[in-house]
Amino acid sequence: MNLASYIDHTLLKATATSADIRKLCAEAREHAFYAVCVNPVFVPLCKAELAGSDVKVATVCGFPLGAVSSEQKAVEARLSAEMGADEVDMVIHIGAALENNWEAVQADVNAVRRAIPEAVLKVIIETCYLSDEQKRGATEAAVRGGADFVKTSTGFGSGGATVEDVKLMADVIAALQPARRVEIKAAGGVRSPADAEAMIAAGATRLGTSGGVGLVSGAGNQQGY
């Protein structure tokens, strides 16, 4: 399996420097990862570093808590797209999900969708904080709000992706959209090529990890996101 083509090579730490981001981009070029995923301040640098390559630039929005207004998320996403981001990974209003307020979650997603009609929108539901029923509700709200992907985790919560959660999300999407237009990104805790292949078998079409080099080399991802 060509794992590289599934990987969003990720560096979202507050301590990331320009040198770290240049290294990330060089690794993404070398291994032909699908995308890099960085904080918005580094989007222009990544666009410059990756010019002429097929590697996409992804960034985040309302990250990592999701606890800003929909209007703020929309502006952040729009500005990132204007700087050149190809994809935006937004965090839902987690508190609203815990209250089972799916109308609010859907509206939050849709506000960002409207702000970036041309960019790929990935919606992080932060599965570690939700019950199975809430994971179903959040996935459905993300799909109805206009997501291109539903994503498991930020990597900053209390847990990351699990095979069971990917399967649950895939089942919800299949029930809503039998053609499976909406895809799944498994993020956090992908430690080995076997983990990666299990996530893909469960329904993930993208993997978010800071250990992409280790995964494609067979060494595994022993540290980090």
Side-chain angles (χ1 to χ4, degrees):
M1 182 179 289
N2 177 21
L3 289 180
S5 65
Y6 289 85
I7 289 175
D8 284 0
H9 196 34
T10 302
L11 179 53
L12 294 167
K13 292 181 179 179
T15 53
T17 65
S18 296
D20 295 327
I21 297 299
R22 289 190 179 94
K23 180 173 182 286
L24 186 85
C25 291
E27 291 170 344
R29 273 185 181 271
E30 177 184 354
H31 296 283
F33 292 137
Y34 189 90
V36 295
C37 187
V38 298
N39 281 304
V41 70
F42 290 119
V43 167
L45 176 59
C46 289
K47 291 299 287 188
E49 291 292 309
L50 293 167
S53 79
D54 292 330
V55 181
K56 305 296 186 185
V57 176
T59 192
V60 291
C61 169
F63 192 88
L65 303 178
V68 296
S69 72
S70 299
E71 291 80 7
Q72 288 171 304
K73 290 177 188 177
V75 170
E76 183 179 18
R78 177 179 57 79
L79 291 174
S80 290
E82 289 174 356
M83 288 190 293
D86 301 295
E87 305 187 347
V88 175
D89 294 28
M90 70 167 285
V91 184
I92 64 166
H93 182 352
I94 298 167
L98 290 170
E99 295 171 341
N100 301 309
N101 187 349
W102 306 121
E103 188 173 299
V105 174
Q106 180 177 330
D108 192 46
V109 173
N110 192 247
V112 178
R113 171 78 286 167
R114 293 195 308 271
I116 52 166
E118 303 301 324
V120 171
L121 175 60
K122 307 193 205 86
V123 176
I124 307 169
I125 67 170
E126 200 69 296
T127 52
C128 61
Y129 296 133
L130 306 179
S131 69
D132 283 353
E133 280 307 306
Q134 289 166 337
K135 293 168 195 173
R136 292 186 182 94
T139 300
E140 181 171 340
V143 171
R144 295 190 186 284
D148 296 302
F149 280 78
V150 183
K151 178 178 171 183
T152 60
S153 318
T154 63
F156 287 74
S158 59
T162 67
V163 167
E164 292 75 19
D165 284 344
V166 172
K167 287 180 178 177
L168 180 153
M169 294 159 73
D171 288 345
V172 172
I173 293 167
L176 286 173
Q177 297 189 328
R180 290 297 303 277
R181 180 187 67 83
V182 175
E183 301 177 65
I184 297 169
K185 178 175 173 181
V190 182
R191 299 295 182 193
S192 68
D195 288 342
E197 291 174 8
M199 297 292 181
I200 293 166
T205 55
R206 198 80 66 84
L207 305 172
T209 176
S210 60
V213 173
L215 289 178
V216 298
S217 69
N221 172 22
Q222 303 306 318
Q223 297 180 342
Y225 173 71

